[in-house]
Amino acid sequence: ASTARGPSSVNFDDFVAGCSVLGIPMPDNGALQRELFSGLDVRDCGALGEEDFMFLQPAPSSHAKGGSKKHANKSTARFVVHDPRLGEMTKWTNLETKHQRILSKAKVEASKDLAVFRARLLQEHGNFARAWRRSLDPDSSGSVVLVEFLQACRRINFTGNLHRLWKLLDSDGSGTMSLSELDAPTAVVLSR
């Protein structure tokens, strides 16, 4: 399936359907399925691409070594973890550590995106109060929804990872961003 991320990426529904077709055991609980999907989507873009599966390689099967193909069992398919970027083989028990490193790297990248975004706002508007009023919250609703955020990014020519930046700015997961999430000191000054 094709998504906004690219032609070789899949969304959540396609991921669950694909696992079923391939005979990969999945939890019956939709929340657990979503948690698994989110865990694989280390770049927080809402789709899985080839790079999200680079750490998986099928374990050698018996029929690949001259064994009979009729004894291969999909339900016992095994995978080993291999990430060619790190040049190491590891077992599933080490996957969590590797995943945490990737998440940490993604958080660092998100922090860099935030710094660039904030710098662009200051460059365009001079201070965060003016940026909030003119670019982010021109309707003076007191909060910014995703559509307003994307429009503001377009106005200031910010081209970083918008999905990741939105998740960082919407720190409470409310679906809206407040001035305090953008710049707490400015929010405090304006609330007096």
Side-chain angles (χ1 to χ4, degrees):
S2 179
T3 66
R5 182 171 173 169
S8 63
S9 62
V10 295
N11 62 25
F12 171 73
D13 294 330
D14 292 338
F15 169 71
V16 172
C19 286
S20 176
V21 168
L22 294 172
I24 298 171
M26 288 286 287
D28 293 332
N29 182 322
L32 292 176
Q33 292 174 349
R34 196 146 298 274
E35 187 176 333
L36 174 62
F37 181 83
S38 295
L40 290 170
D41 184 15
V42 295
R43 288 165 187 82
D44 290 325
C45 65
L48 300 176
E50 291 177 21
E51 67 276 7
D52 293 310
F53 295 98
M54 286 182 69
F55 66 90
L56 290 176
Q57 286 188 343
S61 63
S62 60
H63 66 274
K65 296 178 182 174
S68 171
K69 192 172 184 174
K70 73 178 187 176
H71 296 296
N73 183 348
K74 283 184 184 178
S75 65
T76 60
R78 295 176 302 139
F79 290 88
V80 293
V81 178
H82 176 66
D83 187 338
R85 294 170 295 183
L86 300 177
E88 63 185 14
M89 288 297 287
T90 176
K91 295 188 184 284
W92 280 105
T93 55
N94 294 332
L95 179 59
E96 183 64 26
T97 303
K98 186 179 287 188
H99 183 69
Q100 289 303 320
R101 278 188 292 195
I102 292 170
L103 283 177
S104 294
K105 183 178 177 185
K107 286 179 184 177
V108 168
E109 291 171 0
S111 295
K112 288 178 183 176
D113 281 345
L114 178 59
V116 170
F117 177 71
R118 290 168 51 98
R120 288 289 301 134
L121 286 173
L122 290 175
Q123 182 182 11
E124 286 286 320
H125 300 289
N127 62 56
F128 290 118
R130 189 176 300 126
W132 180 260
R133 296 284 310 231
R134 289 186 180 168
S135 212
L136 291 161
D137 188 28
D139 64 356
S140 299
S141 65
S143 63
V144 174
V145 294
L146 179 60
V147 171
E148 292 172 316
F149 170 73
L150 295 174
Q151 290 169 344
C153 288
R154 200 172 313 123
R155 279 193 291 274
I156 65 169
N157 296 317
F158 177 77
T159 58
N161 186 322
L162 301 179
H163 181 78
R164 183 173 55 211
L165 181 59
W166 173 254
K167 283 187 86 169
L168 185 65
L169 287 169
D170 179 21
S171 59
D172 61 359
S174 65
T176 62
M177 178 180 77
S178 66
L179 178 57
S180 63
E181 290 170 305
L182 173 66
D183 188 63
T186 300
V188 169
V189 168
L190 292 179
S191 67
R192 293 182 185 167

